[in-house]
Amino acid sequence: FIAWAKLGVLYFEKKSYPEADAAFRKSLELKTEYTPAWINVGMMRVAQKQFAAAVEIFKHAATLEPKSARIYQLLGEAYLQNKQGTLGAEALNKAIELDPSGMAECHLQLAHLYQLAKADKMAAKEYKLFLAKVPDYKDKKKLEEFIKKNPE
């Protein structure tokens, strides 16, 4: 099952989606609960702009590994791509809850979402939380300006 999943990744990287899909299916036939294969299938669905399918796949992966911050990040991103902002925000916040430092970039995604919703104070809060975790961020000054213009 591992070899089939790795073969699937190779095909996926070459954008040979039918072959990748077949390899991932074979992997999952051999071990249904093999989370890395599910994650890669979800990522392939995102690459194919099949966001609703990706959401369902990442939701399933989250049941297999409920403590995986990365799965929740991917789920959140798929929800956002599928125009489901509230559910996307919930999943991104779950990723942050599970791995506060490792998922710091989720704060940026949330801030962007809040800016699109014209909720600049909430965006500023997310930027502040992000900078607390990544103080040497390359665009720190830009974020600090935004925070200053949108105090809590």
Side-chain angles (χ1 to χ4, degrees):
F1 64 92
I2 294 171
W4 281 107
K6 287 184 185 271
L7 181 61
V9 170
L10 293 173
Y11 281 127
F12 175 37
E13 289 171 349
K14 292 182 177 189
K15 295 182 174 47
S16 298
Y17 299 132
E19 292 86 355
D21 197 54
F24 290 131
R25 284 183 193 279
K26 184 67 176 170
S27 173
L28 292 168
E29 283 174 20
L30 295 170
K31 187 167 182 178
T32 310
E33 68 279 1
Y34 187 54
T35 310
W38 284 109
I39 291 170
N40 282 300
V41 171
M43 291 170 54
M44 187 171 63
R45 296 296 176 255
V46 168
Q48 295 172 302
K49 302 199 182 316
Q50 297 172 3
F51 304 119
V55 164
E56 293 307 314
I57 291 163
F58 291 133
K59 281 170 42 179
H60 177 68
T63 66
L64 297 173
E65 285 193 38
K67 301 238 186 270
S68 170
R70 177 71 174 137
I71 291 172
Y72 281 99
Q73 179 188 28
L74 293 168
L75 175 59
E77 291 169 357
Y79 272 131
L80 294 180
Q81 292 287 338
N82 204 40
K83 310 274 191 261
Q84 294 175 282
T86 302
L87 293 171
E90 287 176 16
L92 292 172
N93 278 313
K94 180 70 174 177
I96 293 167
E97 175 190 320
L98 291 168
D99 184 2
S101 297
M103 291 289 123
E105 77 177 46
C106 290
H107 289 295
L108 293 178
Q109 292 168 301
L110 287 165
H112 180 70
L113 177 66
Y114 292 140
Q115 279 188 268
L116 291 174
K118 306 288 188 225
D120 289 346
K121 291 185 186 313
M122 292 174 74
K125 179 183 174 195
E126 293 297 332
Y127 285 139
K128 191 182 283 188
L129 290 167
F130 173 76
L131 288 175
K133 295 173 185 175
V134 186
D136 56 343
Y137 182 62
K138 63 181 172 72
D139 290 330
K140 180 178 181 175
K141 291 198 186 311
K142 189 189 305 184
L143 297 185
E144 287 174 332
E145 273 182 44
F146 184 88
I147 293 165
K148 189 184 261 186
K149 288 179 185 173
N150 299 283
E152 289 182 53

